[in-house]
Amino acid sequence: MASIARSSFRLRSVTRVPTARTITTTPHLRAAAKPFFADEPAGPKLATTIPGPKNKAATAELDKVFDVRSLNMLTDYSKSVGNYIADLDGNVLLDVYAQIASIPVGYNNPHLTKVAQSPEMTTALINRPALGNFPSADWANILNTGILKVAPKGLDQVFTAMAGSDANETAYKAAFMYYRQLQRGGPEKEFTEEELQTTMTNQAPGSPQLSIMSFKSAFHGRLFGSLSTTRSKPIHKLDIPAFDWPQAPFPTLKYPLEEHAQENAQEEQRCLQEAERLIKEWHNPVAAVIVEPIQSEGGDNHASPAFFRGLREITKRNNVLFIVDEVQTGVGATGKFWAHDHWNLETPPDMVTFSKKAQTAGYYYGNPALRPNKPYRQFNTWMGDPARALIFRGIIEEIERLNLVEHTAQTGEYLYSGLQRLAEKYPEHLQNLRGKGQGTFIAWDTPKRDEFLGKAKSVGVNIGGSGVNAIRLRPMLIFQQHHADILLESIEKIIKQL
Amino acid sequence: MASIARSSFRLRSVTRVPTARTITTTPHLRAAAKPFFADEPAGPKLATTIPGPKNKAATAELDKVFDVRSLNMLTDYSKSVGNYIADLDGNVLLDVYAQIASIPVGYNNPHLTKVAQSPEMTTALINRPALGNFPSADWANILNTGILKVAPKGLDQVFTAMAGSDANETAYKAAFMYYRQLQRGGPEKEFTEEELQTTMTNQAPGSPQLSIMSFKSAFHGRLFGSLSTTRSKPIHKLDIPAFDWPQAPFPTLKYPLEEHAQENAQEEQRCLQEAERLIKEWHNPVAAVIVEPIQSEGGDNHASPAFFRGLREITKRNNVLFIVDEVQTGVGATGKFWAHDHWNLETPPDMVTFSKKAQTAGYYYGNPALRPNKPYRQFNTWMGDPARALIFRGIIEEIERLNLVEHTAQTGEYLYSGLQRLAEKYPEHLQNLRGKGQGTFIAWDTPKRDEFLGKAKSVGVNIGGSGVNAIRLRPMLIFQQHHADILLESIEKIIKQL
């Protein structure tokens, strides 16, 4: 499939006959639609109120053995296709939430189907290696043609992991080991007897009281180390012991940006100054700073490239590592493969973590000194999953074949313009529209956020929120202009009901 | 394949013509061999010294992008079959390490191949759900016919995870939430304003200074929370900040057990008393105790069922939760499906964690109060991987079809007897033989441990160590008497070279 030229998308005109329940959208808006998925429906379809009877019954079954209180919708993946997600009752929704921003190239993507049915996949599934000890002979090739093919500029190494939380935590571990190595005076310095003994009782100096600095409203995961850097909502953190680590303020920008340029620049300066002060003064020395290019769970909070360049400067000046958490922003959604590609950094980040749309996880790095000085310091049984690494490779192939990063940049512009028009028309319902020039990674605030989300399915879209007041759009990379038209019309329908 | 009766294993007599390099074993010992795998080789085969030239070259390639210092052997999984692992140079070894105890039913198991190539697997691979929000409609069925079919007695719920570390950490989180809920007076009690505020700065009371108690030499994982309970070796812990959590002594038993019954019982009593004292007195209150049925990474340290029953009593008496970490011991290797089945507990553990041979991970629980009182408290994007849950289901089917738990109990007895004979013959090289009645989960100490392991491949076996002096056997569940014969002869060959 990699040999198929970009121009030969399997096109099919939208000939699906709308049923009474198919949601119609203004026809002229969709004339130019050339769907990436030949069998994608022409639009959402509502068969019942949601949840319908079959979904309710199946949910009750699942509830017996699995916590369903966070359940959004039991899904019939066999009937989901491209941008459309289906339930058991025959409802089919345009999905701009995409498994919490983790489906890049559509449900039942034909190329991924081939990858899933390949002999390589079979062996990866049934002969799961302990990658640190017994990698398959083609592991280097899988990395080089997949995960590492899209490595951020300047970073040519990877430590593979399972999901975002452990990707971040292993990056933190690398940072702590590196920091202590610098303190000791180099990789060849041996641990002291005191260190060897104290670490067995979790005490310094063997288990030092160092820290990772993160930002207010940040989200970096929910395991114990990552949760100590997560500052999104109390419900994510309550009752769980945490490390005494610092949080810097993240800029609160005013929108539209062009009307608040000076104010926003001052706000970013204030945050940078406070970040540097914390690095210098925090009682548990800071080994690394971690930041999301766009704070996602925390409410889709943006900052300017200048802010991130400033942060990079501060970390260099203070000899702490700079970790960019691209778990949600990475893999094309912002119109660049990595969101930090927007920043024009002079030196690359020390580590970049990834997961979600990659369908696997890990951290990239470039500096060889970030490989711990001895084996088995950064190690676990599986260290990721080659099956999921193969899926990521298939995703990369599909992104290249369809030029999906550039495509997403363009679709994002189109979608943003449409939202701007809606924001002018309904200023009370679309506040602080943000994400211009960031692909389809777009959000806005609305005072009736939960009500808005509650009505979305009834007009045929699956959509998510972030933070307290934000609607976040997280369409797949195969989201096209004709989907944007449906989405814009749906948003207007919801607003009219509020 | 599930319809094939147990008696109809695909048998094939061992007719493979030995080449000059095939390692020969005493023929009479293997007369009764009825291999589970028709195409399994008759014995190990050495084509080169190990590592051979192809493996060396491929390792150098991998080293450019991936840390290979912990590499044991680059593996050709396409040529590995059943109990035998192959490298690139044509060497084929009897594998009693099995990807750090994580391969249960053999390389290239035909039934798992079918599972991997099923339509269900394809959809699980390409439409990866956010399980907490959008589980597939058949997720309840996948759980009930797989993970939950083998749930430990008394535990009918599961929270799914990715690997052992996060399985343990999510269990810890459940324990902390439960502990605080008891303190508050029930699930309906609301968080205080102070809790909501302090948790955002990682301070008590919102982020309370509670603890999980583990045991000396324990291994529970390498992320920040799990690593704080891991006490195996300094190299696992050095330079990583840790929580100030307590460790109780784990019994140091003397072997042979029957000659030291009274002493060992006293040692276990001493450890139990100290465990209870720590629970009562530790400055960071203990929410849960976690223990491995057999301390694996820490050196294959055993304790008696009476010890574990005593520990269960102590946890109940002191209102702390009892978590059994079955990551390495679970899924049949000890001759019971779960190692804690050997204990005859009066009340089940509060949580049991699993991974490795399950090829997926999570924790089982039974008490409904261990579901946190609000949604999104125990949550993450993927919450496991249905693709790996399908593999576990296939493994369970294969275990049932071949009656592999009972089989492993029997093979273990046979193997243990053989090792006992070797221990009598070479007492200096096989000390503290342990694991009697524990299936093939057998280990011994030897003063020249690393030398022993270094020679193993040259006689055709892949074998691992644990702790400082131990050789640990971790064969697959399809390990048979004829494999045991080869292993016993190989061990003797190594000993003769020491």
Side-chain angles (χ1 to χ4, degrees), chain A residues 119-129 385-387, chain B residues 37 77-78 80 82 99 102-117 121 359 387-388 390-391 395 476:
Chain A
E120 267 179 305
M121 180 61 80
T122 298
T123 190
L125 284 170
I126 70 176
N127 303 312
R128 186 174 194 173
D385 186 340
Chain B
F37 281 73
Y77 288 101
S78 71
S80 302
Q99 308 299 323
S102 69
I103 297 285
V105 293
Y107 294 117
N108 289 301
N109 178 292
H111 181 59
L112 292 194
T113 301
K114 284 189 189 176
V115 172
Q117 294 172 350
M121 180 61 79
Q359 294 282 296
R388 290 295 174 190
L390 289 172
I391 292 287
I395 288 165
M476 305 170 192

Side-chain angles (χ1 to χ4, degrees), chain A residues 15-290:
Chain A
T15 54
R16 201 167 182 290
V17 181
T19 69
R21 281 165 168 170
T22 298
I23 294 175
T24 54
T25 54
T26 318
H28 75 274
L29 284 177
R30 292 177 30 241
K34 296 177 180 178
F36 289 151
F37 280 74
D39 50 352
E40 202 176 41
K45 195 177 78 167
L46 293 180
T48 67
T49 54
I50 297 178
K54 288 183 186 165
N55 260 48
K56 278 185 187 164
T59 301
E61 265 320 292
L62 182 57
D63 184 40
K64 291 178 186 165
V65 294
F66 197 76
D67 189 347
V68 298
R69 288 169 304 167
S70 59
L71 188 131
N72 186 311
M73 184 176 111
L74 267 181
T75 304
D76 186 343
Y77 287 100
S78 71
K79 296 207 170 65
S80 302
V81 56
N83 292 276
Y84 287 88
I85 186 169
D87 74 3
L88 286 179
D89 293 285
N91 299 295
V92 181
L93 309 179
L94 178 65
D95 190 1
V96 295
Y97 193 32
Q99 307 300 323
I100 320 181
S102 70
I103 297 285
V105 293
Y107 295 117
N108 288 302
N109 178 291
H111 181 57
L112 293 193
T113 300
K114 284 189 187 173
V115 172
Q117 294 173 351
S118 66
E120 267 179 305
M121 180 61 80
T122 298
T123 190
L125 284 170
I126 70 176
N127 303 312
R128 186 174 194 173
L131 280 170
N133 283 165
F134 302 93
S136 69
D138 62 350
W139 181 232
N141 180 259
I142 292 172
L143 291 174
N144 284 320
T145 59
I147 294 176
L148 284 168
K149 192 176 184 188
V150 294
K153 198 178 149 192
L155 311 183
D156 61 355
Q157 309 273 309
V158 68
F159 184 84
T160 47
M162 302 294 298
S165 282
D166 62 306
N168 282 337
E169 295 210 0
T170 46
Y172 299 173
K173 288 179 67 173
F176 288 126
M177 291 188 244
Y178 178 80
Y179 184 95
R180 291 287 291 138
Q181 181 167 300
L182 284 186
Q183 283 191 320
R184 280 188 195 99
E188 69 290 342
K189 300 283 174 168
E190 288 300 320
F191 305 114
T192 66
E193 191 55 38
E194 189 187 10
E195 285 173 331
L196 295 170
Q197 285 182 8
T198 52
T199 195
M200 298 310 290
T201 54
N202 293 5
Q203 302 299 313
S207 303
Q209 294 194 322
L210 301 173
S211 67
I212 304 289
M213 189 175 84
S214 58
F215 286 86
K216 279 184 186 165
S217 306
F219 185 92
H220 300 293
R222 289 165 164 267
L223 300 173
F224 284 80
S226 49
L227 190 62
S228 291
T229 55
T230 284
R231 314 281 185 164
S232 42
K233 292 178 184 173
I235 199 73
H236 297 158
K237 291 172 69 73
L238 276 158
D239 295 347
I240 312 302
F243 290 109
D244 188 13
W245 292 354
Q247 61 173 338
F250 193 81
T252 304
L253 301 188
K254 292 192 175 166
Y255 293 87
L257 292 176
E258 53 278 16
E259 293 175 21
H260 302 275
Q262 200 186 340
E263 241 175 308
N264 287 339
Q266 282 172 356
E267 166 70 355
E268 292 192 339
Q269 271 310 309
R270 178 186 75 83
C271 293
L272 286 175
Q273 281 167 16
E274 179 64 3
E276 185 158 22
R277 187 191 69 77
L278 284 165
I279 290 172
K280 287 178 189 295
E281 297 178 11
W282 191 258
H283 48 280
N284 294 324
V286 176
V289 173
I290 186 164

Side-chain angles (χ1 to χ4, degrees), chain A residues 62-67 69-75 77 88 99-100 102-103 107-108 112-113 117 121-130 132-137 139-140 143-144 148 156-158 160 162 169 172-173 176 180 184 191 195-196 199-203 206-208 210 222-225 228 231-234 237-244 247 355-356 359 371-377 379 381-383 385 387-388 462, chain B residues 62-67 69-75 77 88 97 99-100 102-103 107-108 112-113 116-117 121-130 132-137 139-140 144 148 156-158 160 162 169 172-173 176 180 184 191 195-196 199-203 206-208 210 222-225 228 231-234 237-244 247 355-356 359 371-377 379 381-383 385 387-388 462:
Chain A
L62 182 57
D63 184 40
K64 291 178 186 165
V65 294
F66 197 76
D67 189 347
R69 288 169 304 167
S70 59
L71 188 131
N72 186 311
M73 184 176 111
L74 267 181
T75 304
Y77 287 100
L88 286 179
Q99 307 300 323
I100 320 181
S102 70
I103 297 285
Y107 295 117
N108 288 302
L112 293 193
T113 300
Q117 294 173 351
M121 180 61 80
T122 298
T123 190
L125 284 170
I126 70 176
N127 303 312
R128 186 174 194 173
N133 283 165
F134 302 93
S136 69
W139 181 232
L143 291 174
N144 284 320
L148 284 168
D156 61 355
Q157 309 273 309
V158 68
T160 47
M162 302 294 298
E169 295 210 0
Y172 299 173
K173 288 179 67 173
F176 288 126
R180 291 287 291 138
R184 280 188 195 99
F191 305 114
E195 285 173 331
L196 295 170
T199 195
M200 298 310 290
T201 54
N202 293 5
Q203 302 299 313
S207 303
L210 301 173
R222 289 165 164 267
L223 300 173
F224 284 80
S228 291
R231 314 281 185 164
S232 42
K233 292 178 184 173
K237 291 172 69 73
L238 276 158
D239 295 347
I240 312 302
F243 290 109
D244 188 13
Q247 61 173 338
S355 184
K356 288 207 184 253
Q359 294 282 295
R371 275 193 192 183
N373 67 337
K374 290 174 192 287
Y376 285 105
R377 300 193 70 190
F379 184 87
T381 300
W382 287 326
M383 304 203 335
D385 186 340
R388 290 295 174 191
N462 184 41
Chain B
L62 182 57
D63 185 39
K64 291 178 186 166
V65 295
F66 197 76
D67 189 347
R69 289 169 303 168
S70 59
L71 188 131
N72 186 311
M73 186 176 109
L74 266 180
T75 304
Y77 288 101
L88 287 179
Y97 194 32
Q99 308 299 323
I100 321 179
S102 69
I103 297 285
Y107 294 117
N108 289 301
L112 292 194
T113 301
Q117 294 172 350
M121 180 61 79
T122 298
T123 191
L125 284 169
I126 68 175
N127 304 312
R128 187 173 193 173
N133 283 166
F134 302 93
S136 68
W139 181 232
N144 284 321
L148 285 168
D156 60 355
Q157 308 273 309
V158 68
T160 47
M162 302 293 298
E169 295 210 359
Y172 299 172
K173 287 179 69 173
F176 288 126
R180 290 287 291 138
R184 280 188 195 99
F191 305 115
E195 286 173 331
L196 294 170
T199 195
M200 298 311 288
T201 55
N202 292 4
Q203 303 298 314
S207 303
L210 301 172
R222 289 164 165 267
L223 299 173
F224 285 80
S228 292
R231 315 280 184 163
S232 43
K233 291 179 184 174
K237 291 172 68 74
L238 277 158
D239 295 347
I240 312 303
F243 290 108
D244 188 13
Q247 60 173 338
S355 183
K356 286 206 185 255
Q359 294 282 296
R371 276 193 191 183
N373 68 336
K374 289 174 192 286
Y376 285 104
R377 300 193 69 190
F379 184 86
T381 299
W382 288 326
M383 304 202 337
D385 186 341
R388 290 295 174 190
N462 183 42

